[in-house]
Amino acid sequence: MSDKVSRRQFAALAGLSAAAIANPLDGADAKPAAAATRDSGFPAGFLWGTATSSYQVEGAVNEGGRGVSIWDKFVRIPGKIEDGSTGDRANEHYHRYKEDIALIKELGCKAYRFSIAWPRVFPDGDGKPNAGGLDFYNRLIDELLRNGIEPWATLYHWDLPQSLQDRFGGWRSTETCKIFGDYAAYVAEHLTDRVKNVFTLNESGRFVQFGYGLGIDAPGVTLPQREVNQVRHNSALAHGLAVQAVRAHGRRGTRVGPAENIDVCVPAIDTPEHVQAAEIALREMNAGYLNVIMEGRYTDAFLKYAGADAPKYTEAELKIISSPVDFLGLNVYAPQNYVVPSDEGAGFMPLPIPKSFPHMSSDWLRIAPETIYWVPKLAAKIWKTDAIYITENGTSGDDVVTPDGKIYDTDRIMYLRNYLAQLQRATAEGVPVRGYFLWSLMDNFEWVFGLSKRFGLYHVNFDTQVRTAKLSASFYRNVIAKNAAGV
């Protein structure tokens, strides 16, 4: 996951003006072009928000009775974090949350997606709850509501209590799943008088594969594929148990659903054949988690491909996993696969990504605005959902503080402008995207990259903890005010 390759430099190309005049195919009797039109914007009531996660921003890892998480241990393994930093201090959001909520209000956001640190509420994962930990989230939620900002809580954003990893192997055991259900019930019982929207697990696809397969993320385990598939199944089971717990213990009207970094499949060409191939691919490439949640079964193609490595499960578990959800949260950044139709296999073929494909300051973050159009469009059709939220979208940037103290992050503005234009295209066509959470509110601890990758609308000086608005904050504020992408 090291990202040491610098961004490729491209020569500026001069655009041709007056293209219609220069076009030799335009005859004297050619009909004048129709006047350009623009969609009026996003639907009325579209929810604009921003997002963070507990370990990435809170800091205060030894305060308020918080227990140890797998990331607290993992960051101390030499060589695991690119710049050697930790989340011990991070953004000091635990102490500076009022200041940070003022930044959210300044943007005009009406929602804030945050995550609850499981070891802050249950230091050992289970057993006696920590009243001091829950009290922090009570203060945070109350401050959000005082500022007219709706709290959207995520139950799990990767900071598993280390005690559960030590006792049960973490997500390798269904014991952890059951304990997660109990934790979800406790949170729902105590917070859903004010928190009306709850996400279960964030990015199972990431923390399972990177944490238990490749060993790149916490807990840093490298298991054979059979066990990785079982861990993924267990995470789906944990999701289902959490959904049931929120239903049973949450206040009336509480909504619940997953937030997943969907394995993105985009049609290489916008033709019916390619679109159909992308639809098949999106379902099959997400068969191990999202599809089993939404359909209650593993696809035949997935089970055939996994073979002897397929997860072991019961019909009772599948019923729990497929407990009905109220919405589908999708984290969308870049395409993993462009696909074309194929007469072999399941009916699609992924294409290799060319080395010359443009990307942002993170090599993995390919620039493909059409991604955020196709993903919710295809997902809504495949899984017949009428409520989709883009729970993460954004980009890292080579943010430089200029002598005047400003950060002119036009690269981030370029990315957001183009992605939001494609999202607006989707909603104009009736795709049921109800809201968008920009990642991230501010620069923070970016997992294995430490503090070296900056995704925020606000620049953070990690020595002084001073927050400074980037130019992209003004751009996003304008988008929210107009309820339109501004293209």
Side-chain angles (χ1 to χ4, degrees), residues 263-279:
D263 196 323
V264 173
C265 299
V266 177
I269 306 172
D270 189 352
T271 66
E273 296 80 11
H274 283 77
V275 173
Q276 183 180 18
E279 182 181 329

Side-chain angles (χ1 to χ4, degrees), residues 358-371:
H359 58 85
M360 300 302 289
S361 67
S362 298
D363 280 356
W364 63 268
L365 217 170
R366 307 177 187 103
I367 306 168
E370 69 274 16
T371 299

Side-chain angles (χ1 to χ4, degrees), residues 62-336:
N62 297 313
E63 298 181 45
R66 177 185 179 276
V68 178
S69 80
I70 56 174
W71 274 92
D72 294 310
K73 182 175 180 179
F74 184 77
V75 296
R76 285 168 170 76
I77 301 174
K80 289 296 186 181
I81 308 302
E82 190 172 85
D83 63 0
S85 61
T86 74
D88 289 6
R89 186 184 182 197
N91 297 57
E92 296 184 351
H93 185 61
Y94 182 82
H95 295 293
R96 298 173 180 264
Y97 67 92
K98 289 186 179 181
E99 174 186 349
D100 295 334
I101 289 171
L103 301 181
I104 301 170
K105 186 175 183 178
E106 183 179 275
L107 291 170
C109 289
K110 295 302 181 184
Y112 175 47
R113 179 182 173 228
F114 64 96
S115 75
I116 296 168
W118 188 353
R120 201 176 285 286
V121 179
F122 285 92
D124 291 319
D126 57 359
K128 185 179 180 180
N130 172 36
L134 187 70
D135 188 53
F136 166 68
Y137 296 107
N138 278 316
R139 296 194 304 271
L140 175 71
I141 291 163
D142 289 344
E143 184 69 14
L144 286 167
L145 293 173
R146 275 193 292 269
N147 284 275
I149 300 166
E150 188 178 5
W152 288 58
T154 303
L155 293 173
Y156 183 74
H157 201 130
W158 309 358
D159 40 4
L160 182 77
Q162 181 64 42
S163 173
L164 298 182
Q165 185 66 34
D166 294 340
R167 286 186 284 156
F168 306 116
W171 296 110
R172 298 176 70 177
S173 171
T174 56
E175 286 302 313
T176 298
C177 303
K178 296 172 185 175
I179 294 169
F180 181 69
D182 293 339
Y183 155 66
Y186 180 84
V187 171
E189 185 175 330
H190 288 83
L191 299 185
T192 57
D193 58 329
R194 290 152 294 154
V195 177
K196 307 313 296 181
N197 296 279
V198 178
F199 297 104
T200 53
L201 292 86
N202 182 77
E203 295 193 355
S204 171
R206 165 74 186 254
F207 76 75
V208 170
Q209 184 63 27
F210 282 36
Y212 291 86
L214 301 175
I216 293 172
D217 284 352
V221 178
T222 54
L223 302 176
Q225 190 58 47
R226 176 178 57 81
E227 293 186 51
V228 173
N229 288 340
Q230 193 65 50
V231 170
R232 185 179 297 106
H233 172 80
N234 290 348
S235 72
L237 178 61
H239 155 84
L241 289 169
V243 170
Q244 293 187 349
V246 172
R247 294 259 189 264
H249 296 270
R251 303 296 176 91
R252 183 183 297 274
T254 303
R255 301 193 305 163
V256 61
E260 180 62 3
N261 60 327
I262 188 169
D263 196 323
V264 173
C265 299
V266 177
I269 306 172
D270 189 352
T271 66
E273 296 80 11
H274 283 77
V275 173
Q276 183 180 18
E279 182 181 329
I280 296 169
L282 194 73
R283 179 171 179 262
E284 292 297 343
M285 298 296 280
N286 292 281
Y289 186 72
L290 265 187
N291 193 77
V292 72
I293 286 173
M294 301 303 287
E295 293 187 9
R297 60 180 292 266
Y298 289 109
T299 67
D300 293 340
F302 171 79
L303 293 175
K304 181 179 179 181
Y305 178 80
D309 291 335
K312 307 299 182 185
Y313 57 90
T314 67
E315 289 301 316
E317 287 177 342
L318 292 181
K319 287 182 180 179
I320 294 170
I321 288 169
S322 59
S323 299
V325 297
D326 298 297
F327 50 72
L328 181 59
L330 301 175
N331 296 357
V332 181
Y333 290 94
Q336 279 78 49

Side-chain angles (χ1 to χ4, degrees), residues 38 54 174 180 263 338 341 359 379 423 430 445:
R38 288 189 180 187
S54 50
T174 56
F180 181 69
D263 196 323
Y338 282 92
H359 58 85
L423 186 61
F445 179 82

